[in-house]
Amino acid sequence: MEFATGFFNSTVNFFTTVIDFAPKFIPGVTATLQLAFLSILLGTAIGLVVAVLKLTRKKILIRIMNIYITVIRGTPLLLQLYFIFYGLPGMGIEIDRFPSAVIGLAFHNGAYISEIFRGAIESIDYGQREAARSLGMSRWQSTKRIILPQAFKRSIPALGNQFIIAVKDSSLASVITITEIMLLARQFVAATFNVFPIFFIAGVYYLVITMGLTKLLRMIELKLKVNER
Amino acid sequence: MSMIEIKNLHKYFGDLEVLKGIDLTVNEKEVVCLIGASGSGKSTLLRCINSLEKKTDGDIWIDGELVEHEKESSINHIRQKVGMVFQRFNLFPHMTVVQNVMEGPLTVKKLPKEEAKKLAMELLVKVGIDEKADEYPAMLSGGQQQRVAIARSLAMEPKVILFDEPTSALDPELVGEVLKVMKDLAREGMTMIVVTHEMGFAKEVADRVIFIHEGLIAEEGTPDQIFNNPQHERLQNFLGQILE
């Protein structure tokens, strides 16, 4: 009996807390969405530029791009964010917290995305480039018109994966005091000690975002698949 | 007038010498078939002509213009005059048939879209595949794809077309439709160099047949000379194996 009332009470408490706090997460959700959107967009742009630069035969450029990828992949994102927000001011470079987070996340995603693009570009049959070049197209024209559109399509499943990681990684921006979902959750928990319902809400919000993203990418993939048997 | 002139062409892949000093002149409106065993260097010779392979030594003139293999602009310019048809078709899978044919004129020659489309449709009619204009290559048979590839290379209005084993990847029943298009082109006076194993085509269409053996031109002559009176022992063996 005692157990039953205890369970009943905590269930009621769970739902009242959820109903009470869910709307309070909205500013955090907005911040997470902004961070994720900007860092995915910029990260994809960076990834594309890096992948294309690596296609050129300029040894120095390739070396620089490889160093970038090695450093980003070889150090924790947490450290990268600390470095940009707390480390760079020591060298006289001060960036506001939100741009800091976007820059950190974008360069982080960019390194991984560039490798996704590189893999996709390398998977395109060499005959495609030869056919394009034999029409008289320049290297850049054949890359832009023939290779990249096919490579982009092929990279979508892996990109989707990276985009979802990007959404979740944006939670690390809380360490440089961006008020996104995780920071709000920790603040609410500290204020109310209602640990379970509040982290539950945070989890649901992340799930909704990542599931929406998965669906969106699936639609793009299907749309681009029209010409394949 | 000579359309292609090759002098002392050498090509190495690493230490392997694939072409050992080729001298070849192809005249305007001439159809030349290159035959030879696989690995003899005939495809490499073809690919050197439009710089898909960089020559190691020697000179190539196309339509009176010296090909400078190190110069991007020279190569791109030459390639507009030299069409290429590949064994594996290499159509662009993300574009429809008509877009494939329009791509060269649009991107390289900067033709307006309307004009490029008109030209492309004319060429698709010519190769007999205009009803598939809006399909994607994956929907087409190999023979149809190869005919589109021929139309694509014709769209650049080349002075010469190189065919690299254009029917080797096709099912036997599809070979005829591609050869027919090639015969039509030959009849219209297109300069053509064809690497082929289709001896029937070589006999019927070629002005000259060239037998390549171990990176050198071992024998050349009219189809009659090559097929009915081969001199070189290697050629006799080769023909014996092929015509068996």
Side-chain angles (χ1 to χ4, degrees):
Chain A
M1 194 61 202
E2 215 169 281
F3 169 77
T5 38
F7 183 74
F8 177 77
N9 283 341
S10 56
T11 308
V12 170
N13 177 49
F14 173 80
F15 281 110
T16 48
T17 315
V18 166
I19 290 162
D20 199 20
F21 275 88
K24 293 186 178 147
F25 269 95
I26 297 299
V29 174
T30 313
T32 293
L33 284 174
Q34 282 172 339
L35 271 181
F37 179 76
L38 288 174
S39 64
I40 284 172
L41 206 67
L42 280 173
T44 307
I46 292 169
L48 190 61
V49 170
V50 171
V52 169
L53 286 180
K54 280 183 77 170
L55 280 182
T56 64
R57 292 183 222 155
K58 303 267 184 302
K59 285 222 173 67
I60 302 167
L61 274 177
I62 294 172
R63 179 76 56 85
I64 294 170
M65 295 308 135
N66 282 338
I67 291 172
Y68 158 67
I69 291 167
T70 308
V71 168
I72 296 288
R73 292 206 301 189
T75 58
L77 174 57
L78 191 58
L79 178 72
Q80 291 161 18
L81 289 172
Y82 277 140
F83 178 78
I84 291 173
F85 189 60
Y86 297 112
L88 285 185
M91 296 171 65
I93 305 169
E94 280 197 45
I95 310 172
D96 278 348
R97 68 179 73 166
F98 191 77
S100 290
V102 170
I103 291 169
L105 291 167
F107 275 94
H108 184 82
N109 291 328
Y112 286 93
I113 291 171
S114 78
E115 288 292 279
I116 291 172
F117 281 143
R118 186 178 63 93
I121 287 168
E122 282 174 2
S123 78
I124 304 296
D125 178 19
Y126 199 70
Q128 290 290 309
R129 186 177 286 282
E130 289 193 337
R133 295 304 305 275
S134 73
L135 288 173
M137 289 172 145
S138 66
R139 276 183 69 82
W140 171 237
Q141 281 172 333
S142 56
T143 301
K144 187 179 71 173
R145 301 275 310 170
I146 306 303
I147 306 299
L148 289 182
Q150 296 183 57
F152 182 71
K153 198 163 76 182
R154 262 186 218 184
S155 59
I156 286 178
L159 273 183
N161 216 5
Q162 184 59 38
F163 289 175
I164 284 168
I165 293 174
V167 170
K168 296 188 293 180
D169 276 355
S170 72
S171 63
L172 283 170
S174 61
V175 299
I176 56 172
T177 65
I178 304 285
T179 319
E180 45 66 75
I181 295 175
M182 274 318 287
L183 185 73
L184 273 186
R186 285 208 295 271
Q187 285 174 351
F188 293 151
V189 166
T192 64
F193 296 108
N194 256 332
V195 182
F196 183 78
I198 284 172
F199 281 148
F200 178 85
I201 300 169
V204 168
Y205 274 123
Y206 276 113
L207 262 180
V208 168
I209 296 172
T210 52
M211 282 164 70
L213 193 58
T214 306
K215 190 146 194 165
L216 184 73
L217 283 155
R218 185 78 197 134
M219 273 160 55
I220 295 174
E221 200 179 341
L222 287 176
K223 207 172 151 78
L224 290 175
K225 267 229 169 99
V226 283
N227 53 350
E228 277 166 26
R229 253 198 288 218
Chain B
M1 188 202 142
S2 67
M3 180 60 70
I4 294 180
E5 219 176 319
I6 298 170
K7 287 219 172 102
N8 194 29
L9 180 68
H10 288 264
K11 171 67 187 174
Y12 283 83
F13 287 116
D15 288 333
L16 182 69
E17 189 175 21
V18 182
L19 298 179
K20 300 173 179 169
I22 299 267
D23 292 293
L24 174 65
T25 304
V26 177
N27 292 318
E28 209 174 328
K29 302 194 174 184
E30 197 178 12
V31 177
V32 174
C33 284
L34 301 179
I35 61 170
S38 64
S40 59
K42 54 195 193 309
S43 279
T44 305
L45 170 58
L46 206 65
R47 292 164 59 83
C48 279
I49 293 174
N50 76 344
S51 302
L52 285 179
E53 302 292 351
K54 284 198 160 57
K55 69 189 179 193
T56 310
D57 197 17
D59 286 316
I60 301 173
W61 284 268
I62 291 171
D63 196 24
E65 196 178 339
L66 180 69
V67 184
E68 296 173 77
H69 279 221
E70 296 305 324
K71 249 190 172 167
E72 177 90 11
S73 57
S74 161
I75 292 175
N76 290 341
H77 187 241
I78 290 291
R79 280 174 176 153
Q80 294 182 39
K81 297 188 193 178
V82 182
M84 178 101 180
V85 175
F86 299 87
Q87 184 179 355
R88 308 272 337 155
F89 333 131
N90 295 347
L91 291 182
F92 306 133
H94 59 303
M95 297 180 179
T96 61
V97 163
V98 68
Q99 284 169 341
N100 263 277
V101 182
M102 290 163 65
E103 183 59 22
L106 271 185
T107 308
V108 180
K109 287 192 172 170
K110 311 286 181 204
L111 225 61
K113 207 167 179 179
E114 300 302 311
E115 267 178 65
K117 180 146 193 180
K118 189 162 160 278
L119 172 69
M121 285 312 296
E122 284 169 13
L123 291 169
L124 288 175
V125 170
K126 187 184 171 112
V127 299
I129 203 157
D130 48 310
E131 80 279 11
K132 301 272 186 188
D134 294 319
E135 306 245 17
Y136 284 94
M139 303 297 190
L140 272 54
S141 74
Q144 291 171 329
Q145 289 193 45
Q146 193 61 297
R147 284 186 282 148
V148 175
I150 292 172
R152 177 176 69 180
S153 94
L154 285 173
M156 291 302 290
E157 294 166 335
K159 302 227 166 174
V160 48
I161 302 187
L162 313 174
F163 292 85
D164 190 3
E165 302 195 24
T167 57
S168 299
L170 296 177
D171 291 338
E173 77 272 18
L174 302 176
V175 169
E177 61 188 74
V178 173
L179 291 183
K180 184 185 170 297
V181 170
M182 291 168 64
K183 283 174 200 167
D184 290 346
L185 279 179
R187 210 167 295 131
E188 287 167 24
M190 176 60 78
T191 311
M192 295 160 64
I193 305 180
V194 186
V195 170
T196 188
H197 294 298
E198 295 291 333
M199 295 304 149
F201 175 83
K203 272 182 197 166
E204 189 186 334
V205 183
D207 297 307
R208 192 150 43 113
V209 178
I210 292 175
F211 174 60
I212 297 193
H213 180 66
E214 290 179 349
L216 282 169
I217 293 180
E219 193 166 336
E220 64 178 303
T222 63
D224 183 51
Q225 288 169 333
I226 293 289
F227 293 114
N228 299 331
N229 191 18
Q231 302 297 312
H232 200 285
E233 195 194 327
R234 293 287 183 176
L235 177 55
Q236 290 163 1
N237 289 341
F238 176 73
L239 290 174
Q241 283 164 357
I242 284 225
L243 299 176
E244 234 163 47

